[in-house]
Each structure stands twice: as structure tokens, then as C-alpha cells.
Amino acid sequence: MAASSFFLNRHLKLSFCVFLLCLSGTAVAQLSSTYYLLSCPLALSVIEAEVVTAVSSEPRMGASLLRLHFHDCFVQGCDASVLLDDTANFTGEKTAFPNNNSLRGFDVIDNIKYKLEQLCPGVVSCADILAVAARDSVYALGGPHWEVRLGRKDSTNASFSDANKDLPAPFLNLSSLITAFANKGFSQQEMVALSGSHTIGMAACRMFRNRIYNDTNIESSFQTSEQAVCPALGGDGNLAFFDATNNGNSFDNLYYQNLVNQKGLLHSDQELFNGGGTDSLVQDYARDSSLFFHDFADAMIKMSELTPLTAPNGQVRTDCRKIN
């Protein structure tokens, strides 16, 4: 009798654990690559066309759209909360330290949303637009292509405090970076792969001044050239390419080669190759662009599905900047 009770209790506990796992995966399970096949069959084509136009006009915009998606997903999941303007009821995420006077691409998202609302009113979410636009931006700049599963809904709130807390800062050391990414469920390998997004785009002087004036693990000619862009005092908004080799306009593995040569622009970049546990990963990606592309795409798929809102939760905003 005691033995049968033991096995019954054990079975119930296991069943309960499986139930919880099913609950945690329910939102992701609702996502599908064919989500808009019937309700808005031209949605992906519209997004791609607008992204290609924007990136062709200004290659830096590709990095900006990719960053928008990253900064969205790392704060309360991939729910387009990053797009919300401040209201009387809450302070949004746009003015948080990692985002203030830094995030760009809102107008491109607005243009995409406007065209989709004309085509399929109230169907395509802003969160899905961000996920697809990030993928199309990388591909437009020569990077990998991956399948984006769709069906996210948009949040009705945003979190200024979470944006300040959850987004990795450019001055973090390796252990803090590992913790920040682990808190979102990412391995060290996935963290290093996602960091390769810094092969495109630019950073403001205030984000790398301390590195180029105080760090010692920096190549001397690179240090001198960056100090010409970013003075010790003033010029906080002056911009420098993450990868000056290609002016940040080509998605490739040169970012990792720069790290090996101590030419990482941010302190947090160079921390990935500074005698720590991620050195070998950086060297692998520096040698093999195909490996980087593969691992980056896999990590982006995982990031794009961080705790998404799905029906019946959330909404499809008609204007990405405000709730309906």
C-alpha cells in the first residue's frame, strides 16, 4: 500500500511538472511561420520592401532596426513595448538610459504599420513587424536569413525600470554580461553570437569614452583614431562605427576579428575576448563566418520568441506608438 501511494504521488508530481512546462511553452507554441497566410498574405512582402528601401537609403538603419527588436525582447518579452510613447499612466522605455537619444527606426516601423493597416486593418502586430524587420535588415546587409514564427500580440504597457535593469550596459564586465544574458535564458555561446550584431551600426561617444581613455587592452592605432572622434570632454553624441573596417555597413564576422586584435569599440565588446571563458568562441567566429551566421540565426530565433504575448492576451495596435 505504501509503495503504491509512493508511485501514485510521484506520478502526480511528474504530471504536474509536465503541466507547468506545457503552460510555459504555450505562448511560443502558438507562433507560426504561416500565421498571416490567410489573414494578410502580403504582410511579409510589405515589411521586406520597406526595410530594403530604408536600408538602401541609409545602411545604418539596418542596425537600428535590429537593435529595436533586441531592446524590445529583453524587456518584458517581444511585445513591442519599446515602441510605446510616454502617457499620463506610465513612463515608457524610450527614455531609459540604454535607449534615450539612442534608439532609432521608429519612423520606418510607423511606415510599415501604416501600409499594413491600409492592406489588412487590425491584423499584423507591431511586435511581429519588429521581429521580421530585424531579420530582413540583417539579410539586406549580407547576413543570414532565418524563419520568423509569427502571431505575437502587442502589450498595453511598458517598463522604464525594466529597460534600465534588463538591457546589458556597454560598461559591463564578462561575468555581468553572462549573468544578464543567462537571466533571459541564453548560454555563453548564444551571448557571443548575438553580440556579433555589433558588426553593423554605430555607437555614441558617451558609450565608449571610458574604454578608449582608460582601458589598457586596446590596440594603440585604433585607440588614437577613436580618440579623434570622441574627445575626453564634450562630443557625447559623436558617432563611431562598431566596425570601422567596413563602416558598419556589411553584416560579417569582422567584429570578432577586431576583438582578437583588441579593436572592440565598447568595453563590453572587448570583454568577450580578454583572457576569459568566451575567448575560444570569439576565435571560432573570427575564423568561420558560416559558423557565426548559423549560430547567430539560431540565437535570433530564440530571442524573437522570448515570452511573447499571444491571444487572448495583448492586442494588435493600430498605431505602434500607443495602445488602442
Side-chain angles (χ1 to χ4, degrees):
M1 185 70 173
S4 62
S5 297
F6 170 79
F7 285 113
L8 176 61
N9 289 335
R10 184 171 182 270
H11 174 73
L12 289 173
K13 287 180 180 179
L14 287 172
S15 298
F16 183 64
C17 290
V18 170
F19 173 70
L20 289 178
L21 286 172
C22 289
L23 281 181
S24 66
T26 297
V28 171
Q30 290 185 39
L31 301 180
S32 167
S33 61
T34 59
Y35 189 83
Y36 297 115
L37 184 61
L38 298 179
S39 59
C40 194
L42 296 178
L44 296 185
S45 297
V46 170
I47 298 172
E48 181 183 24
E50 289 299 308
V51 168
V52 168
T53 297
V55 173
S56 297
S57 176
E58 182 196 8
R60 182 189 171 202
M61 186 54 68
S64 298
L65 293 172
L66 174 59
R67 189 164 181 257
L68 261 184
H69 181 45
F70 176 84
H71 282 226
D72 178 41
C73 292
F74 256 60
V75 181
Q76 67 182 37
C78 304
D79 61 0
S81 60
V82 72
L83 302 177
L84 288 172
D85 290 335
D86 294 352
T87 72
N89 298 320
F90 67 84
T91 301
E93 299 163 16
K94 291 181 178 179
T95 56
F97 173 75
N99 298 336
N100 195 31
N101 298 318
S102 174
L103 285 184
R104 307 169 68 247
F106 298 109
D107 290 343
V108 176
I109 301 300
D110 289 342
N111 289 339
I112 294 171
K113 183 60 175 174
Y114 175 79
K115 293 195 173 184
L116 288 174
E117 284 299 308
Q118 298 298 306
L119 185 66
C120 315
V123 173
V124 183
S125 70
C126 302
D128 277 346
I129 293 172
L130 285 174
V132 177
R135 187 270 311 275
D136 291 347
S137 293
V138 170
Y139 190 64
L141 292 173
H145 195 275
W146 60 91
E147 182 177 84
V148 177
R149 297 200 298 166
L150 305 164
R152 300 164 190 78
K153 301 302 180 187
D154 301 323
S155 68
T156 55
N157 60 11
S159 179
F160 176 86
S161 60
D162 284 352
N164 279 318
K165 174 174 62 74
D166 290 350
L167 290 167
F171 47 79
L172 292 184
N173 60 26
L174 181 60
S175 62
S176 296
L177 285 170
I178 291 171
T179 298
F181 278 83
N183 287 341
K184 300 298 178 180
F186 291 104
S187 67
Q188 291 185 37
Q189 177 263 320
E190 290 166 332
M191 174 190 73
V192 175
L194 287 173
S195 297
S197 62
H198 283 178
T199 193
I200 55 176
M202 307 179 81
C205 169
R206 65 182 180 277
M207 298 297 183
F208 62 88
R209 176 183 285 117
N210 189 64
R211 161 139 175 84
I212 62 174
Y213 285 97
N214 296 313
D215 284 3
T216 56
N217 59 341
I218 184 168
E219 197 271 335
S220 59
S221 63
F222 172 73
Q223 181 180 32
T224 299
S225 65
E226 296 307 322
Q227 287 178 351
V229 174
C230 179
L233 294 173
D236 283 2
N238 293 357
L239 298 172
F241 290 107
F242 280 113
D243 178 11
T245 309
N246 64 16
N247 288 338
N249 294 336
S250 176
F251 197 95
D252 51 39
N253 67 334
L254 292 181
Y255 166 79
Y256 300 103
Q257 296 176 24
N258 289 337
L259 297 186
V260 171
N261 293 316
Q262 296 190 322
K263 294 181 179 181
L265 184 61
L266 303 181
H267 176 82
S268 56
D269 286 328
Q270 196 59 57
E271 279 292 289
L272 300 180
F273 189 82
N274 192 35
T278 55
D279 281 13
S280 61
L281 291 168
V282 171
Q283 289 172 320
D284 288 343
Y285 292 149
R287 286 190 294 262
D288 190 342
S289 61
S290 296
L291 176 65
F292 164 51
F293 277 22
H294 175 273
D295 289 355
F296 180 81
D298 283 350
M300 283 297 297
I301 291 171
K302 181 174 178 176
M303 188 188 76
S304 74
E305 298 180 359
L306 282 178
T307 56
L309 279 178
T310 55
N313 301 307
Q315 60 181 218
V316 175
R317 295 185 211 136
T318 56
D319 180 341
C320 291
R321 294 174 182 259
K322 59 186 182 182
I323 62 175
N324 296 341

